[in-house]
Amino acid sequence: MHTLAELLSSAGYETRGVSTNGNLGVGSGFSQGFDDYVDLGWCHDAGLVTAAVAHWGAPGPDDPPRFTWVHLTDAHAPYVRRGPWADALAQPARHPDLVAESAADRDARLQRWSDRTDRERRAREGVDLGSVGLESVIALYDSELRAMDEVLADLVPRLGLRPGAVTIITADHGEELQDHGDFGHGNTLYREVLRVPLVIAGAPGAAAG
């Protein structure tokens, strides 16, 4: 089997990749065909990805075309509170059960809820956080998605895209947040898990939508 990186390499492209998912590491064969493959293991730090891309620099006018594949895992359980987006999204944080707590105690409680959903989902046990806990965990996840928007806004310009370059942004899965009684992904085939974004920009003849 030939990988996309191998096909593009045979067509004269430089091929570079960054993985933050342990399942996509060198040991699993996902580096096949890449000239340079940065395997960060299980990593929820987009800053390390940005640093790797910055280290490569932008291709010069006389350099061959470049294929760059980047995988980010920051928006992944257990969810981490990302400010200032969490403050704007987490209305439950002002719930009477939480508002009397200090910010540090509240954040610790939110993280315990998030850790619990991940741990108990993996054990296939039921999780009952109550309405306040569930809404707060959803706010944590949403804050991670907003943070990823900011990361992409910073990362894409660092790729040094040439005129005519094609940029594709997608995701490997969504998350179930008790929509059908479960958390996370890998357990069901409901729309909230399967429906992912697919953004293609710069492709010749591509129509909006």
Side-chain angles (χ1 to χ4, degrees), residues 79 85-86 89 137-147 177:
Y79 315 125
W85 307 280
L89 292 164
V137 167
I138 291 173
L140 290 179
Y141 178 58
D142 288 348
S143 78
E144 296 226 73
L145 297 180
R146 291 292 299 274
L177 296 166

Side-chain angles (χ1 to χ4, degrees), residues 48-71:
L48 295 178
V49 175
T50 301
V53 172
H55 175 73
W56 290 326
D62 298 325
D63 292 333
R66 179 181 295 178
F67 166 64
T68 304
W69 177 80
V70 175
H71 188 279

Side-chain angles (χ1 to χ4, degrees), residues 13 20 23 83 85 94 165:
Y13 280 72
T20 60
N23 294 326
W85 307 280
R94 290 185 280 279

Side-chain angles (χ1 to χ4, degrees), residues 81-167:
R81 182 178 181 276
R82 308 284 182 135
W85 307 280
D87 291 331
L89 292 164
Q91 297 297 326
R94 290 185 280 279
H95 189 278
D97 291 348
L98 301 179
V99 72
E101 294 183 329
S102 69
D105 289 343
R106 183 197 68 201
D107 289 349
R109 184 193 288 238
L110 293 178
Q111 197 59 57
R112 286 196 301 273
W113 275 330
S114 179
D115 291 340
R116 182 180 169 196
T117 64
D118 188 52
R119 182 177 65 256
E120 297 193 16
R121 176 187 61 79
R122 291 179 185 278
R124 301 299 175 92
E125 299 174 0
V127 180
D128 182 12
L129 302 177
S131 61
V132 179
L134 176 59
E135 291 173 18
S136 296
V137 167
I138 291 173
L140 290 179
Y141 178 58
D142 288 348
S143 78
E144 296 226 73
L145 297 180
R146 291 292 299 274
M148 286 297 92
D149 289 343
E150 296 292 323
V151 168
L152 291 173
D154 176 59
L155 182 61
V156 171
R158 294 177 181 268
L159 298 175
L161 302 179
R162 294 174 175 174
V166 177
T167 303

